[in-house]
Amino acid sequence: MIRYFKIVLIVLVGLQGLFYFISNAVNWEYAQMAVGAVFGQADSPAYPNPIVPAITSPVLIQLALAGIMTGELLVGLLCFKGAHDMWKQVGNEAMAFNAAKTWAIAGCCTALIVWFGIFQVFGAGLFQMWQSQVGAGSFEGAFMYHAASAIILIFVNQADI
């Protein structure tokens, strides 16, 4: 039964990535505005002297958003591939099922890169996104997404016997 739970959890991480990719795609202008607000550091009252200068170039903002969305899409695709591979091996020996987790683990690690690396390290640490109203919501959401992905990664990565 644990194997089935692992597959379902990987599908859910994949859906999380896919839903955020689609949400950003259908709300492209708002997503650009949110990334632009973080990059522009317009509302940074706590730390008025930023580490890096404000970035206001529409091209750089669009490239950053495209990078975020690419990561979100990859989370979905990698997790779905991993869930499929795990499903094919669900009834087989533990060694085969454990080997089938490769893409699922890659999907969870990609989720950590997106929501911890991009949002927490660069967005919050470098651009101080937690100081603005728009950035604070993204910062808090990113923590929830990467924490859940990390817990699922640890659980799925445990060897099945």
Side-chain angles (χ1 to χ4, degrees):
M1 181 180 359
I2 294 295
R3 291 181 182 186
Y4 291 106
F5 284 123
K6 289 181 177 184
I7 292 167
V8 169
L9 289 169
I10 290 299
V11 168
L12 292 173
V13 174
L15 286 172
Q16 176 179 270
L18 185 62
F19 290 160
Y20 278 97
F21 170 79
I22 293 169
S23 181
N24 283 329
V26 299
N27 294 290
W28 177 257
E29 288 182 16
Y30 176 79
Q32 281 186 93
M33 184 211 59
V35 172
V38 170
F39 273 30
Q41 303 173 46
D43 188 16
S44 298
Y47 288 11
N49 299 313
I51 297 171
V52 295
I55 297 172
T56 58
S57 166
V59 172
L60 291 178
I61 291 166
Q62 289 176 359
L63 286 173
L65 178 56
I68 291 166
M69 291 175 63
T70 299
E72 292 165 342
L73 181 61
L74 278 173
V75 169
L77 295 175
L78 292 170
C79 284
F80 295 151
K81 166 73 170 133
H84 177 261
D85 291 352
M86 291 165 66
W87 180 259
K88 290 191 327 187
Q89 300 299 326
V90 75
N92 292 333
E93 294 181 17
M95 185 181 295
F97 186 76
N98 288 327
K101 297 176 185 179
T102 301
W103 292 107
I105 291 167
C108 286
C109 288
T110 303
L112 292 175
I113 290 168
V114 171
W115 290 299
F116 173 69
I118 294 174
F119 282 83
Q120 299 280 281
V121 174
F122 288 98
L126 185 62
F127 288 100
Q128 303 295 307
M129 69 189 277
W130 53 270
Q131 294 188 63
S132 70
Q133 185 175 9
V134 171
S138 297
F139 174 72
E140 291 169 4
F143 177 79
M144 291 185 291
Y145 314 143
H146 82 70
S149 298
I151 292 166
I152 293 167
L153 170 64
I154 291 166
F155 176 60
V156 169
N157 197 37
Q158 290 180 340
D160 288 81
I161 52 174

